[in-house]
Amino acid sequence: MENMAEEELLPLEKEEVEVAHVQVPTPAPDSAGTPAPAPDSALDSAPAPAPALAQAPALSPFLASAPEEAKSKRHISIQRQLADLEKLAFVTEGDFDSASSSNSDNLDAGNRQACPLCPKEKFRACNSHKLRRHLQNLHWKVSVEFEGYRMCICHLPCRPVKPNIIGEQISSKMGAHYHCIICSATITRRTDMLGHVRRHMNKGETKSSYIAASTVKPPNEILKEADTDVQVCPNYSIPQKTDSYFNPKMKLNRQLIFCTLAALTEERKPLECLDAFGATGIMGLQWAKHLGNAVKVTINDLNENSVTLIQENCHLNKLKVVVDSKENEKCDDFLEEGEKNLGNIKVTKMDANVLMHLRSFDFIHLDPFGTSVNYLDSAFRNIRNLGIVSVTSTDISSLYAKAQHVARRHYGCNIVRTEYYKELAARIVVAAVARAAARCNKGIEVLFAVSLEHFVLVVVRVLRGPTSADETAKKIQYLIHCQWCEERIFQKDGNMVEENPYRQLPCNCHGSMPGKTAIELGPLWSSSLFNTGFLKRMLFESLDHGLDDIQTLIKTLIFESECTPQSQFPIHARSNLNKQEENGVFIKTTDDTTTDNYTAQGKRKSNEMITNSGKKQKSDVSAEHPPFYYNIHRHSIKGMNMPKLKKFLCYLSQAGFRVSRTHFDPMGVRTDAPLMQFKSILLKYSTPTYTGGQLEGHVQSASEDTVTERVEMSVNDKAEASGCRRW
């Protein structure tokens, strides 16, 4: 009997066979692959037979009595040869003393066998030749191969399936799936399984390395960013596989927010700062480590594992965790002799909405997973006057018009894909922030808005009072967008219904094209997206702290805010930025800021000064940068070689238009020129491309005068074009 049991273990690749309650461990094979003989003591020590399990499939892969180390072993659907898979079905009742009742059901009269990978409801017991054909066609042919093994498709109830209640009966659908040989995951589709195995191969993961790693918990990795050490969990860059998500691609976002907070500390200190969604706590750690006593940092997260990781990262960076009086005494034990405590960080574990309702802050950063509209009302509830709220939105699929129904649900706006979709996304987020602030009787001033590949960052200053709230609400308007030429303009203020809203567009597409040519987008933020004075202070802070990665971006934002070419825009020294006016409020930013200055700055002006500042703001409306931009490739002409972007900026400036580049699009041009003027200048300085034939398209129908002007360029124009090479 012992020899028979030992022989039956060979087709199962020497794994630990788990039938009912019997567990017979097989010795590990030697280097040649031949299994070592099992000791007699291992077989003699097997426990006595017990009652069979009810309704258990033949050779159930994972039983409740299996040890923890057996769960990482190979599944029975993973075999080397088809013969090994067939042998699983030819297990007779006499081979095991403790065979279950389900195994006895598999043997009918006439030597009928059941499929080991299908439940009896799906495939009943049949003859051997029919079973062999079933195993070959249904399981073996659709298998996935990996290093000599075949992962066959399995129909056993291994995956938890939600039951469907039909009347009084509960029906559960048995889904086919594959078992991964590396990580024991269950994948439903074959194409997904191939990609899953390919990702394991790219990472260098094999079966032996996984089994070794499954028994021992992998250690946390320590990363370093901006002289701040942070401990991250395994799979830290995959949100679905970790509680504490850390994205290295968001480094630019973290540096922008740090410079924003550093510029705010020049106005007043100390500042109550909140990182509402801490995760690993990297952002709050950088604030406390580099700004010191100028900030009082609070890092919050609702997940218990994330809170523990944040506390460990605080100790790793020699920062004291402030939770209560007892915790302060315990944190001193983490510092060695001679080390100094660099600051205090308060770590909280609660819902972000609850925390922002309970406490007041000077600076709040919101970076949830996805949209942030659910937290805007709480953020503006207790934010202090002249405080700053920064919002990072990562739901770019809806903001970039890939999921328009989601944008309508979250932001309440209509949106389509346009050439200026990134700026459209930024104005959508600012409009949502402005509405939330207005509901709390607060207004906003947009300091800057950045829209890049992975995120949309909006930073606003809070202005208290219903007057500021009313002024902010007036800047939320709808946009009229022509779908033929992509001309755009904000609707005029007023409640009267327009008889023909197409008249507001500068183009004449509605008169020359059939049907409706324009659509209404929004509501959007219609005012400026940048504050030049604040961006200059951010640039100097990035220079002081050695943040070289964002200096180019901040310079581009400064030029874009003034809509001025880079070669014509001077950057003043820090001494000229000691005092500036933002929305009628004087803000002093000297280094020797005292308590008296802190209490004096930010006060409301008298009625006369408010009236004068209002007149000044109306006169400075034309000084704001023009909304949106044009992509030079989008409006290029077929059969024509358009000029270089820097030269084209020079041509627009010489024509009397304001012009600058934009960070939203590397080939975008921000200008106050209408689209018709933009295209005419582009056509004038484009050269024809001759390929041996005539030009195609509407270039043939161009007037002879235009072609003559383009071909026979005067000497003066050539001299001007050569003078623009410095651009």
Side-chain angles (χ1 to χ4, degrees):
M1 185 63 187
E2 295 176 358
N3 296 332
M4 180 180 292
E6 184 176 355
E7 292 176 358
E8 292 297 328
L9 293 176
L10 294 177
L12 298 180
E13 300 296 334
K14 301 299 177 289
E15 298 290 344
E16 295 183 3
V17 179
E18 305 162 5
V19 179
H21 63 282
V22 179
Q23 302 173 7
V24 184
T26 303
D30 55 8
S31 60
T34 305
D40 296 340
S41 60
L43 297 176
D44 294 337
S45 61
L53 297 176
Q55 299 180 355
L59 292 178
S60 178
F62 304 115
L63 296 179
S65 60
E68 293 297 331
E69 59 270 16
K71 293 183 180 180
S72 62
K73 298 300 181 180
R74 202 166 57 242
H75 192 263
I76 62 172
S77 62
I78 305 173
Q79 300 295 335
R80 286 186 178 272
Q81 299 178 0
L82 177 61
D84 298 336
L85 187 62
E86 294 176 356
K87 290 179 182 179
L88 296 178
F90 290 93
V91 179
T92 59
E93 186 178 2
D95 291 337
F96 298 97
D97 295 338
S98 59
S100 61
S101 60
S102 61
N103 291 335
S104 62
D105 295 339
N106 295 337
L107 300 174
D108 297 341
N111 194 20
R112 304 167 71 94
Q113 290 87 18
C115 176
L117 299 180
C118 295
K120 62 181 181 179
E121 295 86 0
K122 181 176 179 61
F123 186 82
R124 296 182 178 275
C126 61
N127 297 328
S128 59
H129 65 279
K130 186 176 180 180
L131 176 62
R132 186 177 294 107
R133 187 168 61 250
H134 166 79
L135 292 175
Q136 182 176 3
N137 296 335
L138 183 63
H139 296 282
W140 191 257
K141 281 188 176 181
V142 294
S143 61
V144 177
E145 186 176 0
F146 176 75
E147 294 185 357
Y149 286 92
R150 290 289 191 95
M151 292 170 278
C152 303
I153 192 169
C154 176
H155 292 271
L156 297 177
C158 305
R159 292 173 58 89
V161 181
K162 295 182 179 180
N164 298 327
I165 301 178
I166 304 176
E168 297 180 355
Q169 300 179 355
I170 299 178
S171 62
S172 61
K173 183 179 180 181
M174 299 298 179
H177 56 274
Y178 295 89
H179 290 266
C180 180
I181 190 175
I182 301 176
C183 64
S184 300
T186 55
I187 310 296
T188 55
R189 300 178 59 182
R190 187 174 185 273
T191 55
D192 296 340
M193 189 66 194
L194 291 172
H196 179 79
V197 174
R198 192 179 300 111
R199 285 190 293 270
H200 279 302
M201 295 175 63
N202 295 336
K203 296 179 181 179
E205 298 175 352
T206 60
K207 174 178 177 295
S208 58
S209 64
Y210 174 76
I211 293 179
S214 62
T215 56
V216 180
K217 184 178 179 181
N220 293 337
E221 184 180 356
I222 297 179
L223 304 179
K224 190 170 185 178
E225 180 181 304
D227 296 333
T228 304
D229 298 327
V230 58
Q231 187 178 186
V232 296
C233 299
N235 299 321
Y236 59 87
S237 60
I238 305 176
Q240 293 80 4
K241 294 186 177 181
T242 181
D243 296 331
S244 301
Y245 177 58
F246 178 79
N247 190 1
K249 297 180 180 180
M250 299 290 286
K251 179 181 179 181
L252 197 65
N253 176 276
R254 289 187 284 268
Q255 291 184 354
L256 285 173
I257 297 170
F258 175 81
C259 291
T260 302
L261 182 58
L264 184 61
T265 56
E266 298 296 330
E267 301 176 11
R268 59 181 186 267
K269 57 183 70 173
L271 297 175
E272 292 280 348
C273 309
L274 171 65
D275 184 7
F277 302 91
T280 59
I282 176 65
M283 193 171 296
L285 293 173
Q286 293 177 355
W287 300 347
K289 192 169 185 179
H290 296 284
L291 299 180
N293 296 328
V295 293
K296 296 181 179 179
V297 181
T298 300
I299 305 178
N300 176 70
D301 203 289
L302 189 58
N303 187 274
E304 181 67 31
N305 297 330
S306 297
V307 173
T308 303
L309 186 61
I310 291 171
Q311 295 177 357
E312 294 176 358
N313 288 332
C314 292
H315 302 148
L316 185 64
N317 291 274
K318 304 174 185 178
L319 296 171
K320 184 182 295 185
V321 180
V322 178
V323 179
D324 51 27
S325 58
K326 297 181 180 179
E327 190 71 19
N328 290 337
E329 299 175 358
K330 294 181 180 179
C331 292
D332 295 336
D333 300 337
F334 289 91
L335 298 177
E336 299 179 358
E337 295 182 0
E339 293 183 351
K340 295 182 180 180
N341 180 29
L342 299 180
N344 298 335
I345 291 182
K346 187 170 185 178
V347 181
T348 58
K349 177 183 175 297
M350 63 177 64
D351 187 85
N353 286 322
V354 176
L355 177 61
M356 289 184 290
H357 272 287
L358 293 177
R359 292 180 54 190
S360 299
F361 296 96
D362 298 290
F363 182 88
I364 296 177
H365 174 61
L366 301 177
D367 187 10
F369 185 75
T371 181
S372 57
V373 294
N374 299 327
Y375 306 95
L376 295 178
D377 291 336
S378 302
F380 286 99
R381 181 64 59 183
N382 285 331
I383 188 72
R384 294 192 177 101
N385 190 28
L386 300 181
I388 290 180
V389 176
S390 63
V391 179
T392 300
S393 300
T394 55
D395 53 335
I396 57 176
S397 60
S398 60
L399 292 174
Y400 289 173
K402 295 180 181 179
Q404 301 176 10
H405 61 286
V406 181
R408 187 179 298 108
R409 184 172 67 246
H410 288 169
Y411 300 95
C413 67
N414 182 34
I415 183 175
V416 295
R417 185 82 170 191
T418 60
E419 64 171 326
Y420 50 92
Y421 67 94
K422 286 190 176 181
E423 184 173 349
L424 201 66
R427 292 184 179 274
I428 289 173
V429 177
V430 176
V433 171
R435 288 194 297 267
R439 286 192 292 268
C440 300
N441 283 335
K442 296 181 179 68
I444 65 168
E445 179 204 3
V446 182
L447 300 180
F448 66 91
V450 176
S451 181
L452 297 179
E453 182 181 0
H454 303 286
F455 64 91
V456 176
L457 174 62
V458 171
V459 178
V460 299
R461 186 188 295 276
V462 180
L463 306 172
R464 282 195 171 184
T467 304
S468 300
D470 295 338
E471 293 295 330
T472 299
K474 292 179 181 179
K475 297 178 182 179
I476 302 176
Q477 299 177 1
Y478 284 89
L479 182 74
I480 302 178
H481 171 80
C482 180
Q483 299 186 89
W484 285 97
C485 65
E486 295 202 71
E487 183 63 279
R488 74 299 300 247
I489 191 172
F490 282 105
Q491 281 188 358
K492 297 179 181 178
D493 296 335
N495 299 327
M496 303 303 295
V497 179
E498 282 280 347
E499 181 180 357
N500 187 7
Y502 294 100
R503 295 178 181 176
Q504 300 183 24
L505 286 171
C507 64
N508 193 27
C509 296
H510 180 66
S512 59
M513 299 295 179
K516 299 180 179 179
T517 59
I519 56 176
E520 189 180 67
L521 304 180
L524 308 173
W525 178 258
S526 62
S527 185
S528 175
L529 292 178
F530 309 102
N531 183 281
T532 308
F534 193 85
L535 288 172
K536 291 178 183 178
R537 290 157 53 194
M538 287 179 58
L539 178 60
F540 291 122
E541 293 296 338
S542 65
L543 293 173
D544 292 343
H545 293 87
L547 303 178
D548 300 333
D549 298 337
I550 62 170
Q551 292 177 10
T552 303
L553 176 59
I554 296 178
K555 290 178 182 178
T556 305
L557 296 178
I558 294 175
F559 304 140
E560 188 176 1
S561 64
E562 292 289 337
C563 197
T564 308
Q566 299 184 10
S567 60
Q568 296 182 2
F569 186 82
I571 298 181
H572 301 284
R574 179 186 289 270
S575 59
N576 296 333
L577 300 175
N578 289 338
K579 192 172 183 180
Q580 60 177 319
E581 184 178 359
E582 296 178 2
N583 274 23
V585 178
F586 283 104
I587 298 175
K588 194 173 183 180
T589 58
T590 55
D591 296 334
D592 54 348
T593 305
T594 58
T595 307
D596 298 336
N597 291 335
Y598 173 74
T599 56
Q601 67 185 5
K603 286 186 177 181
R604 306 288 177 90
K605 294 184 177 182
S606 61
N607 295 333
E608 182 180 357
M609 298 180 67
I610 291 177
T611 304
N612 296 334
S613 63
K615 293 180 180 179
K616 183 179 179 181
Q617 290 179 9
K618 291 181 180 180
S619 62
D620 291 344
V621 170
S622 59
E624 294 182 356
H625 64 84
F628 304 112
Y629 55 90
Y630 300 107
N631 186 287
I632 188 173
H633 284 182
R634 191 72 168 256
H635 299 284
S636 61
I637 303 169
K638 187 177 181 180
M640 305 290 290
N641 287 333
M642 61 182 182
K644 297 294 184 179
L645 180 59
K646 293 183 179 180
K647 290 185 177 181
F648 183 67
L649 295 177
C650 178
Y651 300 145
L652 283 173
S653 179
Q654 291 174 359
F657 298 107
R658 300 173 59 198
V659 62
S660 70
R661 302 188 66 171
T662 175
H663 81 281
F664 292 111
D665 190 351
M667 298 304 297
V669 177
R670 184 181 295 277
T671 177
D672 58 351
L675 184 59
M676 295 300 296
Q677 296 291 334
F678 183 88
K679 288 184 176 181
S680 63
I681 297 176
L682 182 62
L683 176 63
K684 179 180 179 181
Y685 294 100
S686 297
T687 57
T689 302
Y690 295 101
T691 58
Q694 296 181 353
L695 299 178
E696 299 178 359
H698 61 276
V699 180
Q700 288 182 347
S701 61
S703 61
E704 297 180 358
D705 296 336
T706 306
V707 177
T708 304
E709 290 179 2
R710 184 178 63 244
V711 177
E712 300 177 358
M713 184 184 298
S714 63
V715 180
N716 296 333
D717 292 339
K718 291 183 180 179
E720 291 178 358
S722 62
C724 297
R725 293 178 182 175
R726 66 179 183 273
W727 291 69

